[in-house]
Amino acid sequence: PAASDRWVIVAIQAHHNAVAEINSVTIGGVTATKLFARPAPVIFAGTEWGFWKANVPTGTTANVAIASNTDIFYWASCATYYCAGEPTFHAGAFDITYTVTTFSVTVDVPEGGAVIASVFNDGAGTLSSWVGVTADSTDDTRKDYYASEDQLAAETGRTVSSTTPAASSSSGFYGLGVLSVEVPDLAGGGGAQTLSPPLLAEADTFFGATVL
């Protein structure tokens, strides 16, 4: 629902054709601020994982627009989350090296915080399991996956991982990106705010921008 203190976090996977990075994001026309992105810039054709936030007080649906600083995207996808009050960056990590068929990172989590994860696996079977987060969106056609967990206890080195039945051989087009954020307490000392689960949006992209 619309609210003056509604903040939206967009988790993005952008697949570039050359040296490029996500340059800007808008959510319902509101300019978003980068929380975390890796690798940035992409140094060759490959995937960038980005997490952006914006205060979006009006409307119940919104277009997400993603622009590249140079060159074009092959395609992109995103998942949107929201909370009441501004989320703040706590930690971020990414993994683009398989351990057999698993990507895994460790990330610190603040008291009452939330973790958002996204993984892309090009052409090597569907994602079979998550550790440390719960699946939110699953696209076995595009091989884009999003997951999260919130209202967490403070933790140092929380393991977040994803496993597939086989490792992809498409260099640059696979990996895991993870963000942890601090979210505001509920009014009256009721504990951490719940980070609401996403609705997945996805579309082909061209000439450096996409409207989903």
Side-chain angles (χ1 to χ4, degrees), residues 7-11 25 32-38 49-54 86-92 116 178-182 195:
W7 282 79
V8 178
I9 297 174
V10 179
V25 174
T33 301
K34 184 191 299 184
L35 286 162
F36 176 73
R38 291 293 188 275
W49 291 265
F51 301 87
W52 297 65
K53 68 177 180 179
E86 184 175 4
T88 55
F89 172 82
H90 189 77
I116 301 172
V178 177
L179 168 77
S180 81
V181 290
E182 183 173 351
L195 190 73

Side-chain angles (χ1 to χ4, degrees), residues 88-203:
T88 55
F89 172 82
H90 189 77
F94 83 113
D95 184 17
I96 54 173
T97 303
Y98 281 109
T99 301
V100 188
T101 60
T102 295
F103 296 116
S104 183
V105 302
T106 58
V107 63
D108 294 344
V109 181
E111 180 65 31
V115 173
I116 301 172
S118 67
V119 69
F120 180 63
N121 179 47
D122 184 22
T126 59
L127 188 146
S128 55
S129 65
W130 285 103
V131 170
V133 287
T134 301
D136 292 320
S137 297
T138 298
D139 186 339
D140 288 336
T141 300
R142 294 288 187 122
K143 310 296 178 67
D144 294 324
Y145 304 92
Y146 295 89
S148 66
E149 205 71 55
D150 70 349
Q151 296 182 306
L152 296 169
E155 184 176 355
T156 299
R158 181 183 182 86
T159 296
V160 177
S161 68
S162 62
T163 299
T164 56
S168 174
S169 60
S170 300
S171 179
F173 289 99
Y174 47 64
L176 167 69
V178 177
L179 168 77
S180 81
V181 290
E182 183 173 351
V183 293
D185 287 343
L186 293 170
Q193 179 63 255
T194 297
L195 190 73
S196 295
L199 297 174
L200 181 68
E202 186 170 357

